Amino acid sequence: MNTKSISANIFDSAITRTAIVDSFRKLNPRVQFRNPVMFIVEVGAILSTYGFIRDLWGHQHFGFDLHITIWLWFTVLFANFAEAVAEGRGKAQAASLRQSVTGLVARKIKMYPEDRAVSRNDLAVAKVFADPARFTEEIPATGLNKGDYVFCKAGDTIPGDGEVVDGIASVDESAITGESAPVIRESGGDRSAVTGGTRILSDGIIIHITSERGNTFLDRMIALVEGAVRRKTPNEIALSILLASLSLVFLLAVATLPAFALYVEKTTGQMGAILLTLPVLVSLLVCLIPTTIGGLLSAIGISGMNRLLRHNVIATSGRAIEAAGDVDVLLLDKTGTITVGNRMATEFIPAPGVTIERLADAAQLASLSDETPEGRSIVVLAKNQYNLRSREVSALQARFIPFSAATRMSGADLPDPVTGKMRCIRKGSAEAILNFILENDGTHPIAIFNIVEKIASEGGTPLVVAENNFALGVIRLKDVVKGGIRERFAQLRSMGIKTVMITGDNPVTAAAIAAEAGVDDFIAEATPESKLARIKEEQQRGRLIAMIGDGTNDAPALAQADVGVAMNTGTQAAREAGNMIDLDSNPTKLIEIVEIGKQLLMTRGSLTTFSIANDVSKYFAILPAMLGGLYATSAIPGPLSVLNIMGLASPQSAILSAVIFNALIIIALVPLSLKGIRYKPSSARRILLKNIFVYGVGGLIIPFIGIKLIDMLLVVAGLS
């Protein structure tokens, strides 16, 4: 799913048209009740409409009441529009997701080769390939259940979430990640998880379905981006309660105004000194309560999740995005997160008296039957650096010994074409090869031992190559650190985030990789329990923790962390445990996640400040207008004329101008609420001062200018 191509503009024409229609649908009181502030505005608009219709004939303020009523409804519609646009952008993204799973057919395995309940032998894939009618049946993908097994071959779209239990395949995940480069998925390890909607490019695999029907990763993504399951965060709930409380206070205040008006009229002797028609009372209430932030609050939250999605990150809760904005410590799993995931051969180091070409030749021969990523990298290194191209294996008359975890080595036995003697070549761990040499009555030279120690101290993994009873040299394997990651960690450090690498390596190896990657700290020889303990320890110190991982052993830590970011290339257990999923599987994506979290918090805080500030300014327009008889009667100033600091034309014009401004400012702030306030790394004090100056002072000044301009236009239009 290439979300970057969806809704590149704030207002897409198709989304805008749909949002306009949805704005009217959201007038349903049951929908409005979820937003207490706008619910009060809608009730006020209904009451104003009722009062206007009731007094339709013979009403001296017919035009004034009509305009007030119209703009009250516009206030509700504009708030609905802001939310509908935010939701519409999510629905557009969801529509593109649905296209990837429409009409999918699954080849469900009805009988395993050799009748095994679970197969972990690649021969099973070959047998299904050869006779699919015998082993599989085609059913709609929607008919799959958790626990089923399916077969997929080149050209097929994977019908559901699961784990590869047989075979290896190249998979195009661009429908999910937006990245065109294919990835390898194979049984075992941390790269076995596959996602429904992705496409097989080569070979074939057998997949164990791990998701319930209708609850696949794509199903959850669609529901999330549509906003159907978006829950308010604790901060949103707290702010909503505050806004509702303020609204109730102002509601009580407005309810007492008729009694206050009666008292003023009796004490001053000025009948009608206070303008208290029903539309005026509703207008006062709407301008007093925080309608601006009340109307934009939902849009801000939805847009935060949408912005995250445009960076190819799925958040399963809004709370996770907010927590990301306050993260103090980031824990990263080394393998597959900081490093590329597999140790790669980077250097051949020959023993004294052995040429490097002889070592490379023997290392490649010993690795031809080693199907591990390390073994394949040795073959490639020998081919690229020493031009050892493809060999005619049958001509070698060799007996290959595959790599085994039990023996910890691989090799080949073949006759020497010159002497005719048997060459027994082995490659493996230093300990395993030493035993092999000793069994063949050889000795382990001290030079080889020194090379092994040196590689290990530098954070590498040494593999020794031997022929018969003689050590030829050492292969250096290295965890390759992902490009550009050091600079990204430096950027995190500038944002005040401490980075901690977690690895199962020994302390020496861990220290070397940590130094190369540029992390602040590391945990060596880590276990799932030690990861969990470190997170709890940091949380007890009051810190918010983010954890990035991709393996099953990362799942407990991902679940405990405040922000658990699972790599999409990782296991199903990791993806289920996290509250965010990085579709690009880029560990430095946390920088964008943190920025979006801070942006969400800043946007909501700034617009709340602006809303409260411009409410204060509106008081100077509408309160004097209510006391119209006291501050101005024609050309004769009243006792409270000093309150009319804007110099508004009339009480009716002042009230109408305030109501119109109150509605227009909501629609004017929709782009900002959708796009968010730009975040720049800075101190909390500087950000607070900027917020107060720009949105606090600005919120006080802008209404004075806006209301005065609207008042002047009303005078010109003859509506004052």
Side-chain angles (χ1 to χ4, degrees), residues 1-7 93 96-97 173-179 309-310 312:
M1 177 191 61
N2 192 350
T3 58
K4 297 179 182 66
S5 65
I6 300 174
S7 303
Q93 293 162 344
S96 69
L97 288 174
E173 295 187 341
S174 60
I176 301 297
T177 66
E179 299 297 329
L309 183 61
R310 288 197 296 278
N312 277 354

Tab-separated table of all heavy atoms in Angstrom, residues 1-7 93 96-97 173-179 309-310 312:
chain	number	residue	atom	x	y	z
A	1	MET	N	0.840	-1.186	0.000
A	1	MET	CA	0.000	0.000	0.000
A	1	MET	C	0.869	1.228	0.000
A	1	MET	O	1.531	1.541	0.974
A	1	MET	CB	-0.878	0.040	1.242
A	1	MET	CG	-1.730	1.281	1.349
A	1	MET	SD	-2.494	1.425	2.971
A	1	MET	CE	-1.067	1.511	4.007
A	2	ASN	N	0.922	1.928	-1.119
A	2	ASN	CA	1.726	3.135	-1.187
A	2	ASN	C	0.901	4.307	-0.713
A	2	ASN	O	0.275	5.020	-1.475
A	2	ASN	CB	2.211	3.368	-2.617
A	2	ASN	CG	3.287	4.428	-2.678
A	2	ASN	OD1	3.537	5.124	-1.687
A	2	ASN	ND2	3.926	4.551	-3.820
A	3	THR	N	0.914	4.525	0.576
A	3	THR	CA	0.072	5.569	1.159
A	3	THR	C	0.533	6.953	0.788
A	3	THR	O	-0.231	7.909	0.897
A	3	THR	CB	0.064	5.447	2.683
A	3	THR	OG1	1.407	5.543	3.156
A	3	THR	CG2	-0.514	4.133	3.128
A	4	LYS	N	1.783	7.085	0.340
A	4	LYS	CA	2.290	8.409	0.006
A	4	LYS	C	1.562	8.990	-1.200
A	4	LYS	O	1.534	10.196	-1.401
A	4	LYS	CB	3.796	8.337	-0.273
A	4	LYS	CG	4.609	7.894	0.946
A	4	LYS	CD	6.080	7.809	0.604
A	4	LYS	CE	6.912	7.330	1.793
A	4	LYS	NZ	6.642	5.983	2.193
A	5	SER	N	0.992	8.125	-2.033
A	5	SER	CA	0.302	8.595	-3.222
A	5	SER	C	-1.155	8.912	-2.965
A	5	SER	O	-1.853	9.403	-3.841
A	5	SER	CB	0.403	7.530	-4.320
A	5	SER	OG	-0.282	6.366	-3.930
A	6	ILE	N	-1.628	8.627	-1.764
A	6	ILE	CA	-3.037	8.835	-1.437
A	6	ILE	C	-3.204	10.157	-0.715
A	6	ILE	O	-2.543	10.432	0.272
A	6	ILE	CB	-3.577	7.699	-0.561
A	6	ILE	CG1	-3.439	6.371	-1.311
A	6	ILE	CG2	-5.016	7.930	-0.166
A	6	ILE	CD1	-3.797	5.183	-0.486
A	7	SER	N	-4.090	10.987	-1.200
A	7	SER	CA	-4.404	12.245	-0.535
A	7	SER	C	-3.157	13.073	-0.284
A	7	SER	O	-2.858	13.469	0.836
A	7	SER	CB	-5.135	11.987	0.795
A	7	SER	OG	-6.269	11.243	0.587
A	93	GLN	N	-7.443	5.437	1.899
A	93	GLN	CA	-6.349	4.496	2.086
A	93	GLN	C	-6.890	3.075	2.250
A	93	GLN	O	-6.314	2.110	1.749
A	93	GLN	CB	-5.528	4.908	3.309
A	93	GLN	CG	-4.795	6.228	3.092
A	93	GLN	CD	-4.345	6.874	4.387
A	93	GLN	OE1	-4.810	6.526	5.466
A	93	GLN	NE2	-3.456	7.840	4.281
A	96	SER	N	-7.816	1.371	-1.091
A	96	SER	CA	-6.697	0.785	-1.830
A	96	SER	C	-6.275	-0.551	-1.237
A	96	SER	O	-5.796	-1.433	-1.936
A	96	SER	CB	-5.507	1.753	-1.837
A	96	SER	OG	-4.949	1.862	-0.551
A	97	LEU	N	-6.465	-0.706	0.067
A	97	LEU	CA	-6.140	-1.978	0.711
A	97	LEU	C	-7.120	-3.069	0.290
A	97	LEU	O	-6.734	-4.213	0.042
A	97	LEU	CB	-6.172	-1.825	2.234
A	97	LEU	CG	-5.035	-1.023	2.877
A	97	LEU	CD1	-5.302	-0.855	4.358
A	97	LEU	CD2	-3.714	-1.711	2.657
A	173	GLU	N	6.006	-7.336	-1.366
A	173	GLU	CA	5.170	-6.783	-0.300
A	173	GLU	C	4.790	-5.325	-0.564
A	173	GLU	O	4.388	-4.607	0.347
A	173	GLU	CB	5.895	-6.898	1.046
A	173	GLU	CG	6.123	-8.336	1.484
A	173	GLU	CD	6.676	-8.442	2.894
A	173	GLU	OE1	7.211	-7.430	3.402
A	173	GLU	OE2	6.564	-9.533	3.495
A	174	SER	N	4.918	-4.886	-1.822
A	174	SER	CA	4.644	-3.481	-2.131
A	174	SER	C	3.197	-3.100	-1.857
A	174	SER	O	2.894	-1.935	-1.594
A	174	SER	CB	4.994	-3.188	-3.595
A	174	SER	OG	4.230	-4.005	-4.477
A	175	ALA	N	2.281	-4.087	-1.909
A	175	ALA	CA	0.880	-3.782	-1.610
A	175	ALA	C	0.706	-3.322	-0.171
A	175	ALA	O	-0.248	-2.619	0.162
A	175	ALA	CB	0.006	-5.013	-1.857
A	176	ILE	N	1.651	-3.715	0.696
A	176	ILE	CA	1.584	-3.338	2.103
A	176	ILE	C	2.557	-2.223	2.425
A	176	ILE	O	2.220	-1.234	3.061
A	176	ILE	CB	1.890	-4.555	3.003
A	176	ILE	CG1	0.879	-5.672	2.731
A	176	ILE	CG2	1.865	-4.166	4.474
A	176	ILE	CD1	-0.544	-5.318	3.059
A	177	THR	N	3.810	-2.376	1.949
A	177	THR	CA	4.863	-1.439	2.344
A	177	THR	C	5.060	-0.296	1.373
A	177	THR	O	5.618	0.740	1.739
A	177	THR	CB	6.208	-2.172	2.476
A	177	THR	OG1	6.617	-2.642	1.181
A	177	THR	CG2	6.095	-3.350	3.424
A	178	GLY	N	4.644	-0.479	0.098
A	178	GLY	CA	4.915	0.546	-0.900
A	178	GLY	C	6.304	0.430	-1.491
A	178	GLY	O	6.667	1.163	-2.399
A	179	GLU	N	7.122	-0.503	-0.997
A	179	GLU	CA	8.480	-0.690	-1.498
A	179	GLU	C	8.477	-1.790	-2.557
A	179	GLU	O	7.941	-2.868	-2.349
A	179	GLU	CB	9.428	-1.066	-0.358
A	179	GLU	CG	9.536	-0.010	0.727
A	179	GLU	CD	10.122	1.295	0.210
A	179	GLU	OE1	10.948	1.244	-0.724
A	179	GLU	OE2	9.746	2.357	0.731
A	309	LEU	N	0.427	6.588	9.178
A	309	LEU	CA	0.211	5.607	8.118
A	309	LEU	C	0.923	6.025	6.831
A	309	LEU	O	1.435	5.192	6.094
A	309	LEU	CB	-1.283	5.422	7.861
A	309	LEU	CG	-1.668	4.363	6.832
A	309	LEU	CD1	-1.184	2.994	7.277
A	309	LEU	CD2	-3.164	4.343	6.611
A	310	ARG	N	0.972	7.339	6.571
A	310	ARG	CA	1.666	7.803	5.372
A	310	ARG	C	3.175	7.561	5.457
A	310	ARG	O	3.868	7.619	4.454
A	310	ARG	CB	1.367	9.285	5.117
A	310	ARG	CG	-0.048	9.539	4.633
A	310	ARG	CD	-0.171	10.910	4.002
A	310	ARG	NE	0.075	11.980	4.948
A	310	ARG	CZ	-0.837	12.454	5.805
A	310	ARG	NH1	-2.047	11.925	5.832
A	310	ARG	NH2	-0.545	13.434	6.620
A	312	ASN	N	4.121	4.690	6.509
A	312	ASN	CA	4.093	3.220	6.482
A	312	ASN	C	4.243	2.598	7.861
A	312	ASN	O	4.922	1.583	8.044
A	312	ASN	CB	5.163	2.670	5.532
A	312	ASN	CG	4.701	2.657	4.094
A	312	ASN	OD1	3.542	2.946	3.803
A	312	ASN	ND2	5.587	2.359	3.189
